[in-house]
Amino acid sequence: MDKFVIKKAKTKSKRTLVDDTGSPTEDLTRKKCRGEEADALPEQTCTWKRIREENLSCDYTSLFKKAEADEIFQQLEKDIVYFTGDLSKVQVYGKWHNVPRKQVTFGDEGLTYTFSGITLSPKPWIPVLDLIRERVQLVTGHSFNFVLINRYKDGNDHIGDHRDDEKELVPQSPIASVSFGASRDFVFRHRDSRGKNSVRTIEPVKLELEHGSLLMMNFPTNVYWYHSLPVRRKVLAARVNLTFRKIKPPSQR
DNA sequence: AGACTTAATGTGC
DNA sequence: TGCACATTAAGTC
């Protein structure tokens, strides 16, 4: 744990995110985010943006510099084959829909992930995913055994409000969200400030997920906050997002 | 039993 | 137009 202490922010951000003290947090330096020197200088890995609200804890950083992110994005576009047919449908409020994006899962053999009426079995790991997963582990100290990949072909593709709170997730484990391609807005909304049961007024938390970035969603964010990737009609390019998760082995369920 | 819903749709700005 | 937000109404856990 000590090894991956998040650096305290020191300078002003160009964007509007705030940390738990309400102060603007530092923009990324990119300098030491690539991992080569992390073993030698563990205390100087990445510069993180801390996102803190009531029961929300996320940390954002650049995981790959642009040239490397470009290369990985190309590789993903070449190597990833997405689910089709029944595996690209979900059930919401009793109705089946094709998901407004493409999705696929990779992970250790024998794991499964169920949501909205579908159970997804992972494909075996491939080199480009190993590379990303290892970089995430290097930078965060967390290991993951499963990844859900979502591809948003343009700003019309999206995902609705939801929490990643499935029973098969290891309790209190973080989720690592790695993005490539088009930048997209990402929105958190507190569960007590949604719909007809809304009992409080809590501002949504908005951020932009950039090419080559990593967003760590830490406990208990997914207990209290829903998140979505809203439609953005002006976005014309594709985004590929990988959410690395820790899934309980079947024996523990 | 009751709480929940990774979707589209309609409304209002 | 685009976006934000509430509604939904049937099955699952």
Side-chain angles (χ1 to χ4, degrees):
Chain A
M1 266 311 241
D2 318 321
K3 198 173 162 197
F4 299 99
V5 163
I6 290 156
K7 288 191 83 176
K8 182 74 182 163
K10 286 175 185 128
T11 59
K12 299 240 171 187
S13 169
K14 288 169 203 137
R15 290 185 288 273
T16 54
L17 297 168
V18 291
D19 67 16
D20 48 346
T21 67
S23 322
T25 56
E26 177 176 82
D27 213 64
L28 305 175
T29 62
R30 291 175 185 278
K31 235 208 258 173
K32 292 282 174 64
C33 288
R34 301 191 313 286
E36 306 99 55
E37 294 163 54
D39 286 329
L41 297 165
E43 71 284 2
Q44 295 194 38
T45 52
C46 296
T47 300
W48 296 81
K49 197 168 266 181
R50 293 162 55 88
I51 303 152
R52 297 290 185 277
E53 294 293 339
E54 180 183 312
N55 290 314
L56 183 151
S57 166
C58 292
D59 298 296
Y60 180 81
T61 194
S62 172
L63 193 61
F64 298 103
K65 61 184 199 280
K66 178 163 171 20
E68 201 174 0
D70 287 349
E71 207 168 295
I72 293 168
F73 182 47
Q74 277 191 24
Q75 197 73 31
L76 291 168
E77 289 289 75
K78 184 160 69 73
D79 292 351
I80 303 297
V81 177
Y82 293 86
F83 291 143
T84 58
D86 289 346
L87 294 178
S88 65
K89 294 181 186 347
V90 295
Q91 194 182 31
V92 186
Y93 283 96
K95 291 177 178 149
W96 287 94
H97 304 274
N98 289 310
V99 296
R101 61 188 172 277
K102 286 184 185 169
Q103 61 189 20
V104 65
T105 54
F106 289 79
D108 294 354
E109 196 179 348
L111 303 175
T112 60
Y113 194 57
T114 297
F115 64 91
S116 302
I118 52 166
T119 296
L120 302 177
S121 291
K123 301 186 180 192
W125 295 105
I126 59 173
V128 65
L129 298 180
D130 288 331
L131 185 152
I132 301 166
R133 181 166 67 133
E134 282 163 19
R135 180 68 61 88
V136 171
Q137 175 161 2
L138 187 65
V139 163
T140 68
H142 290 284
S143 62
F144 299 93
N145 58 12
F146 191 93
V147 64
L148 169 64
I149 305 181
N150 282 295
R151 182 180 190 273
Y152 304 89
K153 68 176 185 307
D154 59 29
N156 292 307
D157 275 5
H158 62 280
I159 192 164
D161 262 5
H162 68 285
R163 294 179 291 175
D164 291 320
D165 60 348
E166 284 71 29
K167 278 207 263 299
E168 56 264 61
L169 292 168
V170 170
Q172 308 196 9
S173 59
I175 293 177
S177 170
V178 182
S179 298
F180 296 97
S183 258
R184 288 288 295 265
D185 290 345
F186 189 74
V187 180
F188 288 98
R189 297 177 69 205
H190 196 283
R191 67 178 188 188
D192 292 344
S193 188
R194 307 166 70 245
K196 59 181 154 199
N197 310 331
S198 177
V199 291
R200 304 173 61 192
T201 301
I202 302 170
E203 280 299 300
V205 174
K206 305 183 182 188
L207 45 153
E208 190 184 333
L209 301 182
E210 297 163 294
H211 184 46
S213 71
L214 165 64
L215 177 71
M216 291 300 291
M217 289 185 274
N218 306 312
F219 182 82
T221 304
N222 279 124
V223 179
Y224 293 93
W225 294 78
Y226 289 73
H227 58 266
S228 68
L229 190 85
V231 167
R232 287 291 179 266
R233 305 223 181 260
K234 285 173 235 177
V235 174
L236 304 177
R239 167 176 182 262
V240 173
N241 177 68
L242 305 91
T243 47
F244 291 89
R245 298 145 192 269
K246 195 171 282 201
I247 307 282
K248 291 186 218 167
S251 59
Q252 287 180 34
R253 296 185 269 155

